[in-house]
Amino acid sequence: WGPGIQDAECFMACDPTAGFVGELNGKPVGCATMAKYGDSFAIGGCYVVRKEFRGREYGKKIYDAAMASAKHFPSIGTISTLNREEMHNRNGFRSKFYGAFFVFSIPTAIACFPETSRRSPVTIKQIEEVNMQALFRYDATVFGFERHAFLSKWLSMIDSHARVAIDSEGSIVGYTVARPTFIKDSYKIGPLFADSEAIAENLLKAVFEELQRQKDPAPVVCIDAPTEKATKLCESLDGKRLFELAYMVTNNLPNAYFDRWFGYTTTQFG
């Protein structure tokens, strides 16, 4: 899973009503989230129950409470591991596309980048060098919903590394963020949005090289690849595929450019 150290604060900026915690005798035993985007789509995640309390239906009660909070939304989504796919099917979800969770060794991945990535027509810039409103607009187009409050925090997380791809006309054509996780010395990529696979590749190369240059280079970087196209990119960089993921919805997909998604922002909030 590899959650980021500062994810929770960013999640609450996205939707302060999203969190659900189940308590037993005043102590938390499990949680779930249901993030609402506008009034047309919500996405559930963070479905976790402490090991010693599993098998007692506490998790189902938390899950049901989260689902009930979005009962008036036309469609609800979730990003599921395959062992939970059948459970979500029973609750009305259907899988739309499949991806996977990958782990990279940075030196190995850097060695895999093709020679063509060095001659890319795009320029990779740091977040401080670009117009933030333009980046917010690009994200809203690709993600499908405006999330300025969330991004303001996400892009300024301590020890994170964000890069933006700019084309020859000065337009934003992709961006990514690498953030530290609770797994010691590791980072997670997300989102990785790009107008093409070549641009996504250049963004990853820039971030991997930055992580490699740190005083204490990150030994592990992981990414949730959402689609088959994204998984192929990860495989070309010798990423290790650990488990499969399914993007599931109860009705219609949101109005997003999924063909530009090469890495989920998070599997909890989409």
Side-chain angles (χ1 to χ4, degrees):
W1 180 8
I5 294 172
Q6 300 159 75
D7 284 7
E9 182 181 348
C10 298
F11 290 167
M12 291 303 98
C14 179
D15 180 0
T17 71
F20 295 82
V21 177
E23 292 186 345
L24 183 66
N25 299 323
K27 295 183 178 180
V29 298
C31 64
T33 56
M34 185 63 68
K36 293 87 173 174
Y37 293 103
D39 56 5
S40 62
F41 189 72
I43 188 162
C46 295
Y47 182 51
V48 180
V49 177
R50 289 174 59 180
K51 189 173 182 179
E52 63 268 32
F53 294 103
R54 295 172 189 171
R56 306 187 198 180
E57 301 233 331
Y58 296 145
K60 183 179 184 303
K61 291 180 179 179
I62 301 168
Y63 179 92
D64 289 348
M67 288 291 290
S69 72
K71 64 183 179 181
H72 297 302
F73 281 68
S75 190
I76 301 172
T78 193
I79 300 164
S80 175
T81 54
L82 294 196
N83 65 326
R84 294 253 180 92
E85 191 176 19
E86 179 56 36
M87 179 194 80
H88 292 304
N89 282 337
R90 292 194 299 270
N91 286 282
F93 289 88
R94 294 294 178 266
S95 297
K96 292 297 184 179
F97 47 85
Y98 292 90
F101 175 88
F102 283 86
V103 173
F104 298 91
S105 161
I106 292 181
T108 301
I110 289 175
C112 290
F113 284 107
E115 189 72 24
T116 53
S117 67
R118 301 176 189 175
R119 301 192 299 269
S120 170
V122 299
T123 301
I124 306 300
K125 294 189 175 184
Q126 296 189 28
I127 198 74
E128 298 83 5
E129 300 176 280
V130 302
N131 182 290
M132 291 302 295
Q133 293 305 313
L135 183 57
F136 289 162
R137 288 193 295 272
Y138 178 83
D139 179 81
T141 297
V142 178
F143 184 69
F145 298 97
E146 176 274 317
R147 49 178 184 170
H148 297 179
F150 167 79
L151 281 183
S152 294
K153 288 190 173 294
W154 195 256
L155 296 169
S156 60
M157 287 185 287
I158 297 171
D159 294 328
S160 65
H161 301 267
R163 293 294 183 272
V164 183
I166 307 294
D167 68 9
S168 58
E169 297 179 354
S171 299
I172 293 174
V173 290
Y175 85 100
T176 193
V177 181
R179 68 195 192 279
T181 79
F182 282 101
I183 302 172
K184 182 175 171 55
D185 297 326
S186 75
Y187 278 76
K188 192 162 192 178
I189 300 286
L192 175 55
F193 291 166
D195 288 10
S196 71
E197 183 176 340
I199 294 170
E201 185 180 273
N202 276 273
L203 285 164
L204 280 180
K205 184 173 184 290
V207 170
F208 284 0
E209 288 177 342
E210 176 68 18
L211 293 174
Q212 182 73 1
R213 286 194 296 266
Q214 293 184 133
K215 182 179 179 182
D216 296 310
V220 174
V221 177
C222 51
I223 188 170
D224 297 302
T227 64
E228 183 179 358
K229 182 165 66 172
T231 62
K232 287 181 178 178
L233 173 60
C234 292
E235 288 168 348
S236 74
L237 301 177
D238 208 21
K240 183 179 180 181
R241 191 182 194 123
L242 294 191
F243 54 83
E244 310 300 305
L245 297 168
Y247 191 99
M248 310 180 73
V249 291
T250 55
N251 287 302
N252 297 325
L253 284 166
N255 186 28
Y257 283 86
F258 290 107
D259 61 329
R260 302 184 196 176
W261 290 29
F262 290 88
Y264 285 118
T265 307
T266 73
T267 54
Q268 297 80 41
F269 272 49

